[in-house]
């Protein structure tokens, strides 16, 4: 060996360091093993266990799970009532996502392009606080606001718009006996909950649009609308996609909001919850889960292609 | 190229290669850096010079060959076991430590007592003229000051070899020139072997005792700056180091009978008006002026010579007006200005 | 020269009125509902959600203070959040250290795996864990809650740490080793101080996330009640609405602190790193 070899009196740590530096692959493996074991075993293991159950069925009479591979559960999933639930949930998720993008864009754009220094910090905190505040407290707030005798009704009355609200509530589908048991109320609550998740990635991607690019477009004679459509929107797309991953995923997976605010017809999260809970039909619940998983996998693949994953 | 075999080289490479997949960043390099020498590794980016430096420092290991530092093989020894220290291109100062803590870092790791290492650190800062900056954070220093801290941090370890990776690259021109002189005198005073990586031929020629010119992972030539400048061995060295003219073998054969390319320094050519006779014993080429650029002390005149192709001539501004663009001229030079290079 | 430059730049930093109004309205939408919760906590009316409240009182704070079930739920939530955060910091940092720089086959798949727990709907995570516990006949316990929480907290720490690792110049680590420090000394003296604030920030966010989590927790808690589960119960079958209002305000206060702290920690880091850009 050479003069630069470890001496016998050295600490074991220093020798271990020698080994790890000589074999970077070993170091990488040591670093990755604990988190991979955790996520691979706890998370993926549970996920596959769940998906496997969707290929079993439930015995109608005894209510126990029959451990024989079958596609019967998927046939049940495609029954009109269940398909209804999936379609209804998708529509709600789409509406929420579109509205969230509309509410989020001006905030994100202002924060990214015009806000500087203190104002910018204020904007950031103003988005972070509602994002991280307690989910249940936020849902609760909307229950209070939308209640028949609550603040929204009071405000509408004070503004002399009671007739308009009554007309809205009388409308099919979006209306209902009161805001708190209508789709309008449910979408509003979802919108409120998930909009911050849209703002942050959107702002991050807008920050990366250099101001000179917008000026260049203006300089080349584009009207503001054209600049928006041809320059800002394409460059903001990764942020929009990343934000949509959140709004979509969160809406698909929620069963608490529709339980507290909204009409009596189930959406996906509630259906899953009910199937695995009261009904005890875990295979059907698992099959229901395949729908959001499939949608999110498509979304993630799309996000990877556009580089939106870095914006998450 | 061959130093005396008796004295142990400060750094010795024998057949050293470093491959990244199919790409050989360093390809069979032999190298001897003498103790106490100021040695420059010069080359364009991607030529393998920085990889060689990292192989000496121990940040990287060769895929083939043998490296010795003062006669001891270093194969497999990690950076922290080697008696060499590095000044990084981006200085790599620890941003969360003060200037003094940065300088004392290596001594702290070595287990030197607090009082003693503070004293040694303060001395090192004095050496690089940074007294009074001890408590500052690297973020509060100018580029030149950061560079001095990086230098002090490496020197305080009393390295057997100091490695410098483009240390002046991030400084502006004036500061760079001042630092060149300071580095040179520091090296002289300390007697430490310096191995210096640069892509700036002016820097290499003005500071180094010897220069190794790198190209495509290989060393093209090793020699004193004067050697390299006046007697390039290859077309690459002639062009990269001196901006020398390369005369093709076909033409050289006509003049000398040898089938080898030759280099011809721009300042060794005189321009004569068209039709004027060349001095006795001189060689001459007919040409036409393409472009004249004013460089202060000289004009740089580019010609297209019928036989030699493109030819650059350096004309002292003191000799009066240069020929105008488009004018036919005759370029003349002494026969011994033609330096024959290796056959290709 | 400057006046010429100004002429070519058409909109020098002045925002259109419409944009300002839209942004302001959006922010108001995000904040007013929380303000209502604050107001209701002081309402002296205890049967309905009447607005505006007929009168204000501090009485409900005292009532809530004397409720042992709230304190028990709070204690469980804090214990779960602390342990989950600790696990997440450990696992998330390891993952970030491994994935921030190294390039190897399967790297993308692995980084996708780390964000999967937040990309997939929470109910999927919850029901998957529950059915796995059932399959293994694992009884619900403190540990089953932690298992679920740590899983989605890892990604929060991971995201924070990986961003900081990427901004860290690789020559800092080489410089430390060059000066004689081995891998562990380099970790202690250079790496840890450089990523420390981002770990703390990630940890605080993970704590807030775990403290507030309810979707996954309902599946992994069994009969145990964390504070969010207690609140969910009150939302679905209200016993004493004003007490719920008070707890809601307390929860806002408790989660706001770590979030603000995390913000200030990462902000300082950005400034230092941003100076080099």
């Amino acid at each position: 060996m050479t003069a630069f070899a470890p001496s016998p009196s050295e600490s074991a740590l220093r020798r271990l360091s020698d080994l790890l530096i000589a074999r970077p692959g070993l170091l990488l493996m040591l670093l990755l093993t604990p988190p991979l074991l955790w996520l691979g075993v706890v998370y993926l293991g549970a996920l596959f266990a769940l998906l496997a159950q969707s290929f079993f069925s439930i015995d109608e009479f005894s209510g126990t799970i029959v451990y024989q591979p079958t596609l019967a559960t998927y046939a049940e999933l495609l029954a009109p009532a269940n398909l209804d639930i999936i379609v209804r949930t998708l529509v709600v998720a789409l509406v929420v996502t579109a509205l969230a993008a509309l509410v989020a864009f001006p905030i994100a754009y202002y924060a990214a392009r015009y806000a500087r220094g203190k104002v910018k910090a204020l904007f950031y905190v103003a988005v972070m606080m509602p994002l991280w505040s307690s989910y249940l407290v936020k849902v609760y707030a909307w229950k209070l606001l939308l209640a028949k005798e609550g603040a929204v009704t009071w405000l509408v009355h004070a503004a002399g718009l009671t007739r308009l609200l009554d007309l809205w509530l009388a409308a099919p589908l979006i209306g209902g006996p009161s805001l708190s048991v209508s789709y309008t109320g449910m979408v509003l609550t979802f919108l409120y909950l998930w909009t911050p998740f849209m703002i942050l990635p959107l702002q991050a991607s807008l920050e990366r649009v250099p101001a000179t690019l917008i000026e260049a477009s203006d300089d080349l004679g584009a009207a503001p609308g054209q600049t928006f459509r041809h320059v800002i929107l394409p460059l903001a797309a990764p942020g929009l996609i990343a934000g949509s991953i959140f709004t979509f995923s969160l809406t698909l997976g929620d069963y608490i909001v529709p339980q507290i605010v909204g009409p009596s017809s189930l959406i996906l999260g509630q259906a899953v919850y009910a199937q695995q809970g009261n009904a005890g039909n875990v295979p059907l619940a698992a099959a229901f889960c395949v729908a959001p998983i499939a949608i999110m996998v498509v979304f993630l693949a799309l996000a990877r292609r556009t580089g939106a994953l870095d914006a998450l | 190229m061959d130093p005396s075999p008796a004295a142990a080289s400060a750094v010795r490479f024998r057949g050293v290669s470093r491959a990244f997949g199919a790409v050989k960043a360093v390809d069979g390099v032999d190298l001897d850096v003498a103790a106490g020498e100021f040695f420059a590794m010069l080359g364009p980016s991607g030529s393998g010079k920085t990889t060689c430096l990292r192989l000496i420092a121990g940040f990287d290991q060769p895929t083939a060959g043998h490296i010795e530092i003062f006669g001891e093989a270093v194969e497999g020894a990690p950076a922290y076991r080697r008696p060499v220290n590095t000044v990084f291109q981006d200085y790599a100062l620890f941003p969360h430590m003060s200037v003094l803590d940065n300088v004392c870092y290596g001594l702290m790791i070595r287990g030197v007592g607090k009082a003693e290492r503070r004293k040694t650190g303060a001395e090192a800062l004095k050496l690089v003229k940074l007294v009074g900056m001890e408590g500052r954070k690297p973020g509060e220093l100018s580029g030149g000051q950061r560079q001095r801290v990086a230098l002090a941090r490496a020197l305080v370890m009393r390295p057997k070899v100091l490695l410098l990776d483009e240390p002046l690259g991030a400084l502006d021109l004036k500061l760079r020139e001042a630092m060149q002189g300071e580095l040179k005198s520091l090296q002289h005073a300390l007697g430490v072997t310096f191995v210096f990586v640069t892509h700036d031929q002016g820097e290499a020629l003005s500071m180094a005792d010897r220069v190794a010119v790198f190209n495509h992972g290989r060393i093209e030539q090793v020699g004193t700056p004067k050697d390299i400048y006046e007697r390039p061995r290859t077309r690459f060295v002639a062009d990269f180091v001196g901006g020398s003219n390369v005369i093709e073998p076909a033409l050289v054969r006509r003049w000398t009978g040898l089938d080898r390319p030759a280099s011809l320094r721009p300042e060794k050519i005189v321009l004569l008006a068209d039709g004027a006779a060349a001095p006795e014993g001189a060689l001459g080429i007919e040409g036409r002026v393409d472009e004249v650029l004013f460089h202060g002390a000289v004009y740089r005149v580019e010609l297209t010579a019928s036989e030699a192709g493109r030819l650059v001539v350096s004309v002292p501004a003191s000799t009066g007006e240069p020929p105008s663009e488009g004018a036919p001229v005759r370029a003349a030079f002494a026969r011994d200005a033609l330096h024959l290079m290796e056959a290709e | 020269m400057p006046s010429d430059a100004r002429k070519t730049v058409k909109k020098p930093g002045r925002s259109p009125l419409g944009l300002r109004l839209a942004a302001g309205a959006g922010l108001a939408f995000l904040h007013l509902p929380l303000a209502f919760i604050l107001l209701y906590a002081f309402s002296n009316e205890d049967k309905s959600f009447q607005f505006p409240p007929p009168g204000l009182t501090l009485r409900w704070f005292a009532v809530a203070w004397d409720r042992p079930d709230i304190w028990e739920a709070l204690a469980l939530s804090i214990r779960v959040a602390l342990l989950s955060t600790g696990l997440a910091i450990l696992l998330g940092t390891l993952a970030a250290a491994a994935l921030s720089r190294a390039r190897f086959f399967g790297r993308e798949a692995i980084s996708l795996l780390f964000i999967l727990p937040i990309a997939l709907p929470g109910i999927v995570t919850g029901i998957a864990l529950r059915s796995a516990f059932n399959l293994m006949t694992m009884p619900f316990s403190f540990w089953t809650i932690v298992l679920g929480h740590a899983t989605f907290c890892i990604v929060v720490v991971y995201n924070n740490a990986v961003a900081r690792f990427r901004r860290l110049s690789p020559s800092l680590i080489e410089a430390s080793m060059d000066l004689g420090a081995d891998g562990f000394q380099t970790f202690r003296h250079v790496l840890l101080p450089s990523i420390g604030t981002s770990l703390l920030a990630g940890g605080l966010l993970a704590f807030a996330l775990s403290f507030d989590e309810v979707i996954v927790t309902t599946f992994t808690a069994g009969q145990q009640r964390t504070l969010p589960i207690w609140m969910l119960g009150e939302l679905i079958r209200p016993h004493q609405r004003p007490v719920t209002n008070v707890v809601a305000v307390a929860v806002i206060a408790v989660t706001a602190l770590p979030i603000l702290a995390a913000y200030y920690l990462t902000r300082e880091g950005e400034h230092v790193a941003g100076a080099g850009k």
Side-chain angles (χ1 to χ4, degrees):
Chain A
M1 280 306 274
T2 76
F4 310 127
S7 68
S9 62
E10 269 180 1
S11 75
L13 270 186
R14 206 162 168 94
R15 283 150 171 263
L16 182 59
S17 166
D18 286 359
L19 178 69
L20 293 178
I21 283 163
R23 303 196 201 302
L26 180 66
L27 174 64
L28 194 65
M29 210 185 79
L30 283 180
L31 288 173
L32 269 180
T33 303
L36 270 187
L37 265 184
W38 185 283
L39 282 175
V41 172
V42 175
Y43 188 67
L44 281 189
L47 218 52
F48 281 119
L50 177 70
L51 289 183
Q53 299 209 41
S54 70
F55 293 99
F56 300 139
S57 61
I58 193 147
D59 187 287
E60 299 252 337
F61 299 103
S62 64
T64 53
I65 298 170
V66 182
Y67 291 100
Q68 257 167 11
T70 169
L71 288 174
T73 309
Y74 281 97
E76 200 183 338
L77 181 68
L78 296 178
N82 291 336
L83 266 186
D84 259 10
I85 293 176
I86 295 177
V87 172
R88 193 182 306 136
T89 311
L90 277 181
V91 172
V92 170
L94 272 176
V95 172
V96 169
T97 300
L99 288 177
L102 276 180
V103 176
F105 198 90
I107 300 176
Y109 190 67
Y110 187 92
R113 183 123 193 261
Y114 296 103
R116 291 286 170 269
K118 278 221 167 80
V119 179
K120 187 156 197 151
L122 204 72
F123 257 82
Y124 190 70
V125 172
V127 175
M128 283 287 279
M129 286 308 290
L131 187 149
W132 285 96
S133 314
S134 167
Y135 162 84
L136 278 177
V137 170
K138 286 184 282 187
V139 177
Y140 184 51
W142 280 87
K143 186 178 168 131
L144 296 183
L145 285 174
L146 295 174
K148 227 182 170 87
E149 69 278 34
V152 170
T153 314
W154 182 84
L155 270 176
V156 168
H157 183 76
L161 297 173
T162 313
R163 266 188 58 80
L164 204 65
L165 180 64
D166 288 342
L167 269 176
W168 183 277
L169 285 176
L173 210 61
I174 55 172
S178 88
L179 277 176
S180 60
V181 289
S182 69
Y183 278 114
T184 307
M186 185 162 89
V187 166
L188 266 176
T189 310
F190 276 137
L191 178 65
Y192 174 75
L193 287 171
W194 312 144
T195 296
F197 290 89
M198 180 66 92
I199 297 174
L200 287 182
L202 195 55
Q203 184 187 338
S205 67
L206 283 171
E207 300 266 12
R208 277 180 243 143
V209 181
T212 47
L213 226 65
I214 294 160
E215 281 154 13
S217 173
D218 291 349
D219 194 54
L220 293 169
Q226 287 172 312
T227 302
F228 179 80
R229 204 166 60 240
H230 296 296
V231 178
I232 299 172
L233 210 53
L235 289 169
L240 269 177
I241 294 172
S244 304
I245 288 180
F246 286 120
T247 56
F248 230 84
S249 166
L250 289 164
T251 310
L252 293 185
D254 200 297
Y255 65 92
I256 288 174
V257 169
Q259 215 174 330
I260 292 166
V261 183
S264 53
S265 41
L266 299 180
I267 74 165
L268 193 83
Q270 288 169 289
V272 174
Y273 188 69
Q275 288 303 339
Q276 74 83 37
N278 300 337
N281 191 345
V282 177
L284 185 58
F288 260 120
C289 282
V290 171
I293 292 176
I295 292 167
M296 291 325 295
V297 165
V298 171
F299 239 128
L300 285 174
L302 189 71
R304 229 192 71 171
R305 279 243 305 273
T306 56
L309 280 190
D310 295 331
L312 276 181
Chain B
M1 187 70 196
D2 285 319
S4 72
S9 299
V11 179
R12 168 171 290 168
F13 277 38
R14 284 295 173 265
V16 171
S17 295
R18 173 63 170 107
F20 296 95
V23 183
K24 278 197 164 176
V26 174
D27 188 3
V29 164
D30 293 318
L31 182 70
D32 283 277
V33 179
E37 189 174 31
F38 198 131
F39 191 87
M41 302 205 280
L42 172 68
S45 62
S47 59
K49 58 191 192 307
T50 300
T51 308
C52 278
L53 197 80
R54 296 172 56 82
L55 292 174
I56 304 173
F59 305 141
D60 205 349
Q61 303 286 343
T63 41
H66 179 67
I67 301 176
E68 284 177 10
I69 295 175
F70 281 97
E72 304 274 5
V74 297
E75 267 86 70
Y80 50 83
R81 294 190 185 280
R82 300 191 181 197
V84 301
N85 290 103
T86 308
V87 175
F88 289 82
Q89 185 168 15
D90 63 355
Y91 313 136
L93 300 181
F94 306 124
H96 56 285
M97 296 181 197
S98 70
V99 165
L100 188 61
D101 286 344
N102 261 286
V103 173
C104 296
Y105 182 81
L107 299 175
M108 175 197 73
I109 296 291
R110 211 178 255 176
V112 176
K114 189 164 188 175
E116 195 190 332
R117 66 174 188 250
R118 295 200 147 241
K119 195 170 138 265
T120 319
E123 279 165 16
L125 282 174
K126 200 168 148 195
L127 189 70
V128 298
K129 300 172 189 155
L130 275 183
V131 178
M133 301 282 182
E134 290 84 356
R136 300 238 185 131
K137 288 280 171 72
E140 301 163 353
L141 301 180
S142 72
Q145 289 169 329
R146 282 183 216 180
Q147 210 247 339
R148 286 159 190 268
V149 177
L151 199 58
R153 187 177 67 174
L155 285 175
V156 85
M157 302 296 287
R158 305 237 159 263
K160 288 188 164 174
V161 180
L162 183 73
L163 308 173
L164 302 106
D165 185 7
E166 305 254 5
L168 308 179
L171 305 181
D172 60 43
L173 184 65
K174 216 170 150 67
L175 201 54
R176 198 155 66 216
E177 281 171 356
M179 274 313 286
Q180 283 180 14
E182 269 189 57
L183 271 182
K184 182 75 192 159
S185 51
L186 199 62
Q187 193 263 341
H188 205 75
L190 297 172
V192 173
T193 311
F194 276 31
V195 176
F196 184 100
V197 159
T198 181
H199 66 268
D200 180 332
Q201 45 94 9
E203 211 166 272
L205 295 185
S206 65
M207 295 166 75
D209 297 324
R210 285 196 307 145
V211 179
V213 184
F214 279 74
N215 188 30
H216 294 309
R218 295 166 180 273
I219 294 182
E220 297 257 338
Q221 185 172 0
V222 183
T224 63
K226 203 166 155 61
D227 253 356
I228 302 260
Y229 187 73
E230 291 185 345
R231 288 180 289 283
R233 285 209 332 207
T234 66
R235 185 186 290 268
F236 174 81
V237 176
D239 182 53
F240 184 77
V241 178
S244 217
N245 295 297
V246 175
I247 309 292
E248 293 302 324
L251 192 55
V252 174
R253 188 171 51 224
R254 256 192 16 227
W255 288 329
T256 67
L258 291 168
D259 205 7
R260 284 154 67 178
S263 80
L264 179 59
R265 298 227 46 88
E267 66 273 17
K268 297 205 169 164
I269 308 174
V270 289
L271 288 182
L272 306 170
D274 190 35
E280 189 68 25
L283 300 170
I285 311 176
E286 306 289 334
R288 187 175 292 277
V289 176
D290 285 335
E291 199 173 23
V292 179
L293 298 168
F294 180 55
H295 275 212
V298 296
Y299 288 100
R300 181 186 150 93
V301 180
E302 289 191 20
L303 343 160
T304 307
S306 48
E307 294 158 297
R310 193 175 140 275
L311 207 59
V312 176
V313 181
S314 174
V315 179
S318 55
T319 59
E321 283 297 301
S324 52
E325 286 176 14
V329 287
R330 185 174 175 78
F333 49 90
R335 184 173 286 269
D336 60 6
L338 210 58
H339 168 71
L340 293 177
M341 299 190 292
E342 283 179 353
E344 285 161 341
Chain C
M1 173 63 189
S3 63
D4 282 353
R6 202 164 298 146
K7 250 178 240 166
T8 53
V9 178
K10 285 186 178 163
K11 285 188 289 183
R14 192 87 194 109
S15 54
L17 181 67
L19 179 66
R20 266 181 291 165
L21 285 179
L27 285 186
F29 171 67
L30 290 181
H31 286 268
L32 283 180
L34 288 177
F36 277 107
I37 287 280
L38 275 175
L39 181 64
Y40 273 107
F42 298 95
S43 171
N44 64 0
E45 202 273 341
D46 63 348
K47 288 289 177 290
S48 70
F49 302 121
Q50 192 187 336
F51 186 88
L56 299 175
T57 171
L58 283 174
R59 184 164 78 90
W60 302 115
F61 283 83
V63 174
W65 188 265
D66 288 332
R67 289 272 295 268
D69 55 334
I70 296 175
W71 287 108
E72 275 164 30
L74 179 67
L76 178 62
S77 276
I78 289 177
R79 271 168 47 220
V80 167
L82 281 178
L83 190 60
S84 309
T85 303
L87 280 168
I89 288 181
L90 183 70
L91 297 174
T93 311
L94 287 176
L99 294 181
S100 58
R101 276 200 210 287
R103 296 277 172 274
F104 55 90
F105 179 75
R107 182 183 172 280
E108 281 218 26
I110 292 176
S111 55
L112 199 62
L113 174 63
F114 287 121
I115 60 165
L116 213 52
I118 51 160
L120 286 186
I123 193 168
V124 174
T125 308
I127 193 172
L129 286 173
R130 187 193 186 104
S131 58
F133 294 152
N134 280 341
L135 281 178
M136 293 187 296
T137 58
M138 243 170 98
F140 293 115
S141 68
F142 172 72
W143 295 102
T144 54
I145 306 179
V146 170
L147 220 55
H149 282 206
T151 301
F152 55 73
C153 284
I154 291 174
V155 66
V156 180
V157 177
Y158 169 78
N159 273 349
N160 264 280
V162 96
R164 186 66 61 92
F165 268 121
R166 286 207 178 119
R167 283 204 303 267
L168 203 66
S169 161
S171 61
L172 282 186
I173 293 161
E174 286 176 353
S176 169
M177 295 206 176
D178 188 64
L179 293 164
D182 62 38
F184 298 99
Q185 290 168 322
T186 299
F187 177 77
R188 193 182 137 212
H189 296 295
V190 175
L191 217 47
L192 202 56
S194 306
I195 62 166
T197 50
S198 79
L199 291 192
L200 193 53
L204 286 166
L205 292 180
F207 184 92
L209 190 64
S210 164
F211 186 75
D212 184 43
E213 216 294 327
V214 63
I215 303 245
V216 175
T217 317
T218 46
F219 290 97
T220 58
Q223 297 303 309
Q224 309 164 85
R225 284 203 295 187
T226 62
L227 198 60
I229 300 235
W230 178 90
M231 267 198 79
L232 182 61
E234 294 296 313
L235 283 189
I236 294 169
R237 270 176 293 277
H239 298 299
Q240 212 171 6
R241 272 182 189 143
V243 173
T244 314
N245 293 339
V246 168
V247 172
V249 169
V251 167
I252 291 178
V254 169
T255 41
L257 289 177
I259 294 155
L260 282 175
Y263 166 68
Y264 279 104
L265 283 173
T266 45
R267 195 190 57 146
E268 260 173 57
E270 305 287 332
H271 280 215
V272 172
K277 270 184 192 167

